[in-house]
Amino acid sequence: MRDVVIIGAGVIGCSIARELSKYNLNICLIEKDNDVATGISKANSGIIHAGFNEKNGTLKAKFNVEGNRLYDSLSKELDFTFKRNGAFVLAFNEEDLETLHNLKSNGESLGIEGLEILSKEEVLKIEKNINPKVLAALHAKSSGIVNPYEVTIALAENAALNGVDFIFDAEVTSIEKCIDSYKLKLKNNDCLESKVVINAAGLNSDYINNLINNEKYDLIPVKGEYCLLDKIAGNMLNKTVFQVPNKISKGVLVTPTVDGNLLVGPTANSIKDKYSLENTKDNLELLLQKASNSIVNIPTNRILTTFSGLRPHLERKDFIVEELKDNKGFINLLAIESPGLASAPAIALYVKDLVSKTLPLKSKEDFNPYRKRLLRFTELSLDEKNKLISKNPAYGKIVCKCELISEGEIVDSINRPLGAKTVDAVKRRTRATMGGCQGVGCLLPISKIISRELGIDISEVNKNADSSPVVGFKEV
Ligand SMILES: Cc1cc2nc3c(=O)[nH]c(=O)nc-3n(C[C@H](O)[C@H](O)[C@H](O)COP(=O)(O)OP(=O)(O)OC[C@H]3O[C@@H](n4cnc5c(N)ncnc54)[C@H](O)[C@@H]3O)c2cc1C
């Protein structure tokens, strides 16, 4: 019998796992895919929003503002990159300007510091590539950027280090309520029993809820499509640049990423299929057209790739984070759309308090809050590089020639706690395949390294959880 089972290894499930790993509990996190951060937490804007968009009195506002403040210490403990680069919301007419003033006073009522309205001249002095037709901008100094899957992996690795068991390829298909516990059945017919169950299943959290709760939900996937540009384009901006928000989303943004690329997106289109992630030419053209209202001369010839993510939307427009009234110990997290990433550390603290209503929480004396990121060979000095290569020549073999990722780093990404098992899992941990050639040159060498390190045939190495093998034949 487990104390806590968490369903879903996105940023929400992993934040909760890490928070609860501070206490003497027997915790297990179950994930239907074969890695962490394969759902919504893999494909979003990566903004740690300041929170001025969120309505006072909502969970979104509470968790966003609290979560934003927690990111400095979290990024230090878990050694992931977090930059408080600040954000602009641009106004192009008097109506937009009124919206900026409303956003500013809403933000101030939430206790957000560092909000100011800048004139056209001030804006263009700071960001020279902003459309000169701009009238003014709201500047939010506390807005920041992260790589969302780097955050998720860091949380998960630290939770695992502190005793949380991760079970992958484990899809929950039914839940039965017992006297003081819940029995969960998995697709492969395995069963788990737990006193507390936490539903952090992202786009499927309605399905998990509907297995146990009389109040049914039906999440609406709202697709957000993106263009990712290379690091030359990444030099165009320092701030995250928004247009005034609309009813569904915070609007199209253009932002540098923590890795130095430029990100343009997202669109916002309600769809029916929770697994439809394809991009369309029309949507991307419209996206780039909208983005060109904010930033002039976006170099579209520098687009490396396009991708999309799905928001788990509910008409009521706020997060649901609660223990079910008729099912003590069953904690539901639904509609965790934006600003879910920014809110994750605060949501985890709130859920910890909900868990404490069912289970006594005793702090672990040996909890280790720290996790070290993977070594990044390119960031070392020449002397350090030479010393490392003389100890382990694999660091001297560059496998991904665009991002300069060595064999040593790829091996490290496979042999860590919760290590990579697919090419995309290596990508999310090292950036290999993320450069100009998008993996054309290194897909096969990476597959061979995975095959060697995991002791599996190359025909069993997949690009990602859903794909077919990279190589369609058995090596003899
Ligand atoms: C386009 C877009 C842009 C966004 N931009 C931002 C932003 O800039 N800033 C911000 O703060 N937020 C942003 N968000 C929101 C943020 O990305 C999400 O709130 C957050 O990633 C949700 O994480 P999660 O853990 O709830 O979901 P997920 O990451 O999807 O994790 C849920 C996990 O549950 C697993 N699962 C599902 N069903 C089962 C089952 N039956 N059994 C076992 N496992 C299961 C899934 O495989 C998945 O891994 C954005 C979202 C989108 C879509």
Side-chain angles (χ1 to χ4, degrees), residues 11 125 182 219 221 462:
V11 73
K125 202 171 157 196
Y182 295 89
L219 290 167
N462 290 348

Side-chain angles (χ1 to χ4, degrees), residues 8 10 12 31-32 40-41 44-45 47 172 204 226 336 339-342:
I12 300 300
E31 165 55 51
K32 74 174 171 53
I40 315 168
S41 305
N44 56 62
S45 310
I47 311 300
V172 177
N204 276 347
Y226 292 90
I336 311 297
L341 174 66

Side-chain angles (χ1 to χ4, degrees), residues 402-413:
C402 303
E403 292 290 314
L404 299 178
I405 310 297
S406 66
E407 179 173 339
E409 289 159 275
I410 293 169
V411 170
D412 288 346
S413 76

Side-chain angles (χ1 to χ4, degrees), residues 6-15 29-49 54 64 71 144-146 148 152 167 169-174 184-187 199-205 207-208 211 222-226 240 242 250 253 255 263 265-268 275 307-312 319 333-344 347:
I6 301 165
I7 306 170
V11 73
I12 300 300
C14 294
S15 295
L29 191 152
I30 42 184
E31 165 55 51
K32 74 174 171 53
D33 288 340
N34 63 4
D35 194 11
V36 305
T38 60
I40 315 168
S41 305
K42 168 184 76 171
N44 56 62
S45 310
I47 311 300
I48 304 308
H49 296 289
E54 307 308 336
N64 187 163
Y71 261 90
I145 49 176
V146 293
T152 309
I167 306 182
D169 300 310
E171 181 172 348
V172 177
T173 52
S174 77
L184 279 69
K185 199 167 166 199
L186 306 182
K187 201 173 180 181
N199 170 15
L203 278 161
N204 276 347
S205 53
Y207 167 78
I208 299 291
L211 293 175
V222 179
K223 189 187 279 189
E225 300 186 40
Y226 292 90
T240 301
F242 294 93
K250 297 180 185 73
L253 62 84
T255 186
L263 185 65
T267 55
Y275 296 94
F307 65 93
S308 62
L310 300 176
R311 304 168 182 87
F319 296 154
L333 292 109
L334 275 122
I336 311 297
E337 55 186 343
S338 186
L341 174 66
S343 304
I347 291 178

